[in-house]
Amino acid sequence: MMEIEALQYKGFRNLKDENGDICGFQVGIRFVAYRGPWLSQFRFAYVKVDDVEYGPDVCTFFVNGVEYTYAEMLKPENWRVKVQMQAPIYIHVKKEGGLAMGCHRVSVKFSEIASYIPERMDDINSEMFEMMHGNDPAYNRDMIIV
Amino acid sequence: MSTSQKPGIHRGVSTYCWYPLYNVNMTLEDSFEIMKDMGAHGLEILADGIIEGYPYPSKEWLNKWFSLCDRYEIVPVEYGHWVESKLYRGRELNVEESLEQLIHDIKLASYMGFTCMRTKLGVIDDKLTPTKIWRDFIRRALPYAEKYNVVMQPEIHWPTRLTDQMILDYVEFIEKEQTQYFGFNIDFGVFTTDATGMGMPPGMELNPSKPEDIIPLLPYVHCCHAKYYNMDENFEETTIPYREVVQIMKDHNWNGYLLSEYEGPHKEDYNHCMTQVKRHHVMLKRILGE
């Protein structure tokens, strides 16, 4: 089972590399929706922690257990991979030393391209997206790193 | 053609009613149990979100599906799916690519026991005008729909009006092809007279269709999204003229399923969604004389 929010608390932790050094952190997201997009329709802006934005260049995405860079997700041939609704997408964020132990304000900004709604609503940076999710508690949570 | 086993208007539910709750505090089986509680046997699923492993569910999942439908007396009515047009940056899908998606969904819907599909097409404008090539891939899909006995139905959804040109285009297509395998799902949101619960985007007008606008379309309608935004404590929908619309359907001997689809606020609140859907079915039972 998942949490009702788009931003998942479960799975929020620092990550270690093969030498045991902390190299980043993980956060889970889900589409609070009736369907998941095909990978080429996924759109991602950032994970933000305490006002620091981590964009696609330092993130990889685990979808159905398989790791993708953002560029790989958007490859045309990856429209044949579907984001399933039964499990989160886990985002791995590269950050030497990870996040400090304690409470953090975490936000995410992601969306999908949907063929059945007008094109003007596709823009993740639109005012409408900001209006819908900018202060939405499902996309912005206080979460503790232990 | 009707999806009903007996003539008349039957009640059902779309899994849309509870979509934020699945895989959080609800399973598909839970919704089947609620449907049984209400005596609402017709089901619409949104295939992408409900079918685990979509578009290629496992044999185990499909066996579970058949077992649950049998146990809870579920009638698979409508299989909601999308014919994507925007999968590549910079270009829309062509006819072959659209057809490939459509044929796969026709086969899967039929295998799962559905007799209708809510065939959501890609759109090109704010009025939800479908992609220009829709006739080409729908025409080529008709033999598959006939072979597998499922009716493809675009959903007619606000802000589209029942008198808009796109509806006339659909009717012209059906009559020209002389097919029973393409029709409409009319979403009752087209009759909404109050935008309070809709979260209407700025600049959009309500402009509702009149209940009688449905009359010439009824021969092509196999099931409807019985949309509700606000069911009050007196078991009345406060924004849609339900009694008028359903009475017209009864007077014209329409056969098919009304599938509850909640699109009001607080969809993340289990108790609220439960109260709304139960009120909706009390209203429908009263109107239908059950």
Side-chain angles (χ1 to χ4, degrees):
Chain A
M1 289 292 179
M2 294 182 290
E3 295 151 42
I4 191 89
E5 292 85 355
L7 182 55
Q8 301 284 293
Y9 209 148
K10 188 172 66 178
F12 182 54
R13 62 174 178 265
N14 280 325
L15 299 167
K16 291 179 180 176
D17 64 18
E18 59 274 18
N19 300 318
D21 298 322
I22 294 176
C23 58
F25 63 94
Q26 169 181 279
V27 66
I29 58 171
R30 76 166 186 126
F31 280 88
V32 186
Y34 36 85
R35 61 170 210 155
W38 301 95
L39 282 202
S40 69
Q41 296 174 313
F42 180 72
R43 293 293 180 272
F44 172 78
Y46 57 71
V47 172
K48 188 158 73 176
V49 181
D50 304 329
D51 294 328
V52 178
E53 290 182 5
Y54 301 91
D57 54 321
V58 292
C59 294
T60 59
F61 304 84
F62 285 76
V63 182
N64 315 331
V66 177
E67 184 176 20
Y68 299 88
T69 65
Y70 190 49
E72 286 169 342
M73 291 177 85
L74 300 191
K75 278 185 175 176
E77 60 267 31
N78 275 335
W79 84 256
R80 292 175 187 278
V81 179
K82 189 84 172 169
V83 173
Q84 301 290 318
M85 301 304 283
Q86 289 76 30
I89 296 172
Y90 283 107
I91 305 174
H92 283 199
V93 182
K94 197 187 297 181
K95 181 183 186 304
E96 201 174 319
L99 297 173
M101 190 161 64
C103 190
H104 300 275
R105 183 66 176 169
V106 184
S107 306
V108 288
K109 193 171 185 183
F110 67 97
S111 68
E112 64 159 329
I113 300 294
S115 303
Y116 64 102
I117 63 170
E119 194 165 348
R120 68 183 172 83
M121 296 172 79
D122 287 346
D123 184 5
I124 194 172
N125 294 311
S126 69
E127 281 181 26
M128 184 173 293
F129 188 91
E130 197 57 35
M131 188 176 75
M132 288 172 66
H133 302 305
N135 295 309
D136 183 345
Y139 289 73
N140 304 273
R141 301 179 77 177
D142 291 327
M143 306 205 298
I144 294 171
I145 283 281
V146 176
Chain B
M1 181 181 295
S2 168
T3 58
S4 315
Q5 291 167 346
K6 294 179 191 171
I9 302 178
H10 301 272
R11 292 180 294 117
V13 176
S14 170
T15 57
Y16 184 91
C17 289
W18 298 292
Y19 75 78
L21 306 175
Y22 286 113
N23 308 302
V24 173
N25 54 10
M26 229 180 128
T27 64
L28 184 62
E29 182 168 2
D30 292 328
S31 43
F32 284 10
E33 182 140 24
I34 296 163
M35 290 168 65
K36 191 167 183 180
D37 293 342
M38 301 191 298
H41 300 288
L43 174 70
E44 179 197 57
I45 64 162
L46 301 174
D48 302 35
I50 292 294
I51 299 173
E52 291 182 25
Y54 175 88
Y56 301 108
S58 66
K59 191 176 174 186
E60 290 73 24
W61 190 89
L62 288 165
N63 286 341
K64 185 177 155 194
W65 163 262
F66 291 122
S67 164
L68 290 176
C69 287
D70 189 45
R71 188 182 315 159
Y72 294 97
E73 302 171 352
I74 297 297
V75 179
V77 174
E78 188 172 60
Y79 172 103
H81 73 113
W82 286 261
V83 184
E84 299 286 352
S85 56
K86 293 189 287 191
L87 292 171
Y88 301 108
R89 283 181 187 243
R91 75 166 179 90
E92 284 192 357
L93 262 61
N94 61 32
V95 172
E96 292 293 337
E97 292 163 333
S98 304
L99 188 63
E100 179 193 333
Q101 300 171 60
L102 191 44
I103 291 172
H104 182 82
D105 279 310
I106 287 171
K107 291 179 179 176
L108 183 54
S110 175
Y111 184 74
M112 291 174 66
F114 290 94
T115 48
C116 286
M117 299 165 77
R118 193 279 285 118
T119 299
K120 200 83 168 174
L121 303 173
V123 302
I124 57 171
D125 60 27
D126 282 1
K127 287 186 78 175
L128 310 183
T129 304
T131 174
K132 287 177 181 166
I133 58 171
W134 72 266
R135 289 180 185 80
D136 302 313
F137 61 77
I138 294 290
R139 185 181 295 115
R140 287 179 56 186
L142 286 174
Y144 294 90
E146 183 170 357
K147 177 179 176 184
Y148 290 95
N149 195 32
V150 285
V151 183
M152 296 176 281
Q153 304 183 119
E155 178 191 32
I156 310 305
H157 192 285
W158 176 89
T160 303
R161 304 189 77 219
L162 296 181
T163 49
D164 280 352
Q165 182 60 43
M166 89 170 71
I167 310 298
L168 302 177
D169 291 346
Y170 285 144
V171 171
E172 184 187 11
F173 176 85
I174 293 166
E175 292 183 347
K176 186 177 171 192
E177 299 296 326
Q178 296 189 323
T179 181
Q180 293 181 304
Y181 292 93
F182 189 74
F184 311 115
N185 173 332
I186 292 180
D187 181 297
F188 280 15
V190 299
F191 303 114
T192 301
T193 53
D194 176 356
T196 312
M198 296 177 70
M200 191 157 61
M204 300 294 277
E205 290 178 25
L206 196 54
N207 209 9
S209 297
K210 289 181 266 183
E212 58 268 30
D213 292 341
I214 201 172
I215 294 171
L217 305 178
L218 285 174
Y220 314 113
V221 177
H222 303 279
C223 61
C224 288
H225 277 160
K227 175 66 53 67
Y228 55 110
Y229 298 103
N230 181 45
M231 293 299 310
D232 71 12
E233 60 274 26
N234 297 315
F235 308 103
E236 295 292 341
E237 217 292 340
T238 60
T239 72
I240 294 170
Y242 256 91
R243 289 178 188 279
E244 283 179 76
V245 175
V246 177
Q247 189 60 50
I248 285 170
M249 298 172 88
K250 285 169 76 175
D251 291 345
H252 287 78
N253 299 314
W254 182 75
N255 300 314
Y257 276 86
L258 299 180
L259 302 163
S260 291
E261 197 192 54
Y262 179 54
E263 203 164 353
H266 309 303
K267 286 183 70 69
E268 71 293 346
D269 182 336
Y270 176 89
N271 287 323
H272 180 77
C273 292
M274 281 287 285
T275 302
Q276 287 287 302
V277 75
K278 295 232 170 179
R279 287 177 178 177
H280 191 230
H281 279 266
V282 169
M283 179 188 74
L284 289 177
K285 281 187 80 168
R286 286 177 173 173
I287 295 175
L288 296 172
E290 286 187 39

